[in-house]
Amino acid sequence: MGETGIAVVGFGNAGRQHVAAIGALDGLRLAAVVETDPAAARRAVEAGLPVRPLPQVLADPAVAALAVCLPPGHRPPVLADAVAAGKHLVVEKLPARSPAELRGILDSAADASLFSTVMFQHRFALPGELRAKAPERFADAVANLIISRPRNAAHYREGWRAEPEAAVGGVSVHLGAHYLDLACQLLGEPVEMTPLSRTDAAAGIDTELLGHVTFRSGARLTVTVTCRAAARFEQLTVLGHQDWAEVRAGATTGELDGRPVTAPARPAAELRQDVYRELAGALRGGPAPDLSLLSRSTGVVALLDGLLNTPVGTTRAASPC
Ligand SMILES: NC(=O)c1ccc[n+]([C@@H]2O[C@H](COP(=O)([O-])OP(=O)(O)OC[C@H]3O[C@@H](n4cnc5c(N)ncnc54)[C@H](O)[C@@H]3O)[C@@H](O)[C@H]2O)c1
């Protein structure tokens, strides 16, 4: 059976990681890199990669899917063209700037019978038994999320990262999104968001965000995402009535149905391959993607929309997705 061609659009940090994941898997082939910045395009050529213009890639029947590794605000025209050309999607996080934008991508891909997936690779680190009865297992749970990744505020004052239209936000969107997504996988649909405190590097670009989220399951989550502390720390703790779980630096511990559950941390590069493995299997006629589905991102997009676009100290209901 031939290899499935994937084109990676954007050859920055994310794009390079996608190229590595595609290259590591049997049955997938990097069909093209699309890059508008001449210096980044040159780096791809020097790495021996096939750099091609987007229209040529869209017209190529050997390209089955586009991995869209652009800043959020640069993606909409590329995603629309990809769907119009019948290409399946792998979208980087945060996959949309608003619930309405996400709904548009999901609907257009579904109407065209295309798979839409997302690079929320940390979902694959959660043990299956933990995901199995979520969110019912954690109804009315008390949960806490802390993400600390030290960065100089200047990082969020340059290029697209300083532009809310392109970046959506700062540390919450670009460093917090993975664990916020994990919280939604376990706790379900967020219904109310209350930002409690916020520091910005530039207008609309947060370097620290503290907030509170209520889920339809009754679970309550306290959120701290910061780049202002020195320690690197990532931890989600969920305390249910009987069960509990903690994901810390990618490793899971907990107790479910009276039994201990543990899962070691796995390298992010391996988790990214899991995302592509689901898509590759589906494109070969196997089961449709599951964990990597873009439709599983409605929670995190609504949650961040609420925390970022609500005045501090006030509570807002989630916008429908
Ligand atoms: N899932 C992950 O672990 C992970 C890791 C890194 C980044 N990301 C996400 O990926 C997104 C991009 O971040 P990054 O750090 O790679 O950014 P980056 O600036 O390093 O790379 C973006 C690249 O896209 C190119 N580009 C912009 N518009 C383009 C267009 N229309 N066509 C072709 N190329 C275009 C730019 O020239 C640049 O080279 C962000 O949303 C970020 O949060 C996710």
Side-chain angles (χ1 to χ4, degrees):
M1 191 172 294
E3 293 180 313
T4 301
I6 312 275
V8 171
V9 186
F11 192 61
N13 299 310
R16 287 191 292 274
Q17 294 167 349
H18 284 244
V19 166
I22 293 163
L25 292 179
D26 289 338
L28 290 186
R29 175 179 68 87
L30 179 72
V33 168
V34 178
E35 176 57 64
T36 48
D37 174 53
R42 201 164 43 248
R43 280 194 289 278
V45 170
E46 284 165 4
L49 305 173
V51 176
R52 297 164 64 190
L54 184 62
Q56 192 191 96
V57 167
L58 293 173
D60 183 350
V63 175
L66 248 60
V68 184
C69 303
L70 308 176
H74 296 199
R75 292 181 207 143
V78 176
L79 289 169
D81 288 351
V83 170
K87 308 300 182 193
H88 302 281
L89 302 176
V90 183
V91 187
E92 255 304 341
K93 58 93 173 140
L94 187 69
R97 292 173 295 177
S98 67
E101 189 173 281
L102 179 59
R103 178 45 52 201
I105 302 168
L106 289 169
D107 288 350
S108 62
D111 289 349
S113 302
L114 296 168
F115 296 125
S116 52
T117 64
V118 63
M119 189 50 78
F120 271 131
Q121 69 270 18
H122 292 270
R123 292 176 187 170
F124 288 84
L126 292 179
E129 62 264 47
L130 181 55
R131 287 185 276 105
K133 293 189 213 157
E136 295 75 18
R137 184 190 287 285
F138 295 119
D140 299 322
V142 176
N144 185 62
L145 169 64
I146 180 160
I147 301 290
S148 171
R149 298 269 293 271
R151 291 271 191 290
N152 194 311
H155 178 73
Y156 292 107
R157 294 199 187 107
E158 288 167 13
W160 64 264
R161 291 179 194 283
E163 300 164 12
E165 264 301 292
V168 186
V171 65
S172 58
V173 168
H174 295 285
L175 301 182
H178 282 294
Y179 271 58
L180 289 166
D181 176 68
L182 292 186
C184 294
Q185 301 309 312
L186 297 181
L187 303 176
E189 179 193 351
V191 290
E192 271 188 357
M193 274 67 69
T194 311
L196 298 170
S197 145
R198 173 172 175 163
T199 307
D200 282 359
I205 305 293
D206 55 304
T207 52
E208 185 170 277
L209 182 66
L210 278 56
H212 189 261
V213 183
T214 306
F215 291 79
R216 190 165 301 288
S217 63
R220 289 147 290 140
L221 173 72
T222 306
V223 174
T224 301
V225 185
T226 186
C227 66
R228 300 171 76 214
R232 179 173 172 143
F233 199 80
E234 294 174 325
Q235 181 171 318
L236 170 65
T237 308
V238 178
L239 307 177
H241 287 301
Q242 301 194 351
D243 303 323
W244 65 272
E246 183 167 279
V247 185
R248 181 165 169 187
T252 303
T253 51
E255 192 174 304
L256 303 178
D257 305 319
R259 286 191 300 274
V261 57
T262 58
R266 292 174 55 214
E270 250 182 59
L271 299 171
R272 286 187 202 101
Q273 290 169 27
D274 286 349
V275 170
Y276 276 103
R277 212 169 268 120
E278 278 202 346
L279 181 63
L283 293 177
R284 279 197 303 271
D290 177 11
L291 271 189
S292 63
L293 278 176
L294 181 61
S295 57
R296 288 181 178 267
S297 309
T298 53
V300 68
V301 170
L303 187 157
L304 277 165
D305 178 57
L307 284 184
L308 288 170
N309 297 312
T310 305
V312 167
T314 61
T315 298
R316 200 188 90 182
S319 299
C321 197

